[in-house]
Amino acid sequence: MDVDLLAAALRRDSADLELYAGVLSASLADSLPPGAVRVSRRRSVARRLAGREGPVDGLDVVLGEQRLSLRTDRGRTAGEICHEVRGIVLSRRQVGLDEWIGALARSLADAAASSARAREAVERFLS
């Protein structure tokens, strides 16, 4: 799996962070196994009453022992890479968007190399 190609696919449309988080979360949720992607949304009272979802403000991707978290708030992005074993966080590191995307690409490529199901998911994501 070409990590650079995967990272480029993950980086596209990252200029508008709220839109990027929404598109990325939908793409990953459709491509990866259930439970691997968790999305949190910011919902105002008006949106709740109207039954509408709010914009994505958080994304967690769990691949193996790595949890990659991305949070957006008013145009600012905070990335975090955690080493997690059985729900216990052993290490946590704050990173910028480019480093977070690179780590996600490497994790997806590693998962694709070790699992046929993950490889199919990554191929669906790239197409």
Side-chain angles (χ1 to χ4, degrees):
M1 185 66 52
D2 185 2
V3 175
D4 293 330
L5 175 66
L6 188 54
L10 290 168
R11 278 190 184 90
R12 71 179 168 236
D13 301 325
S14 63
D16 182 350
L17 294 174
E18 286 189 8
L19 177 64
Y20 177 70
V23 170
L24 182 63
S25 65
S27 298
L28 288 174
D30 289 343
S31 300
L32 295 175
V37 179
R38 292 184 299 247
V39 178
S40 62
R41 297 181 179 274
R42 185 175 54 249
R43 292 180 64 193
S44 64
V45 173
R47 286 186 189 268
R48 280 189 220 126
L49 292 173
R52 294 183 299 177
E53 292 185 334
V56 172
D57 68 350
L59 173 67
D60 290 306
V61 181
V62 179
L63 294 166
E65 293 182 344
Q66 191 169 47
R67 180 170 43 89
L68 298 136
S69 299
L70 186 66
R71 302 284 177 258
T72 61
D73 185 28
R74 297 182 190 135
R76 291 190 209 130
T77 301
E80 184 176 69
I81 301 172
C82 299
H83 180 77
E84 187 175 89
V85 177
R86 288 176 273 199
I88 298 171
V89 176
L90 301 177
S91 69
R92 176 182 316 253
R93 188 166 53 99
Q94 302 293 320
V95 296
L97 182 61
D98 281 342
E99 188 174 347
W100 186 87
I101 290 171
L104 178 60
R106 284 187 298 281
S107 293
L108 288 170
D110 289 347
S114 65
S115 164
R117 183 176 179 183
R119 185 173 32 259
E120 290 171 7
V122 169
E123 288 171 358
R124 275 194 316 268
F125 179 74
L126 289 173
S127 59

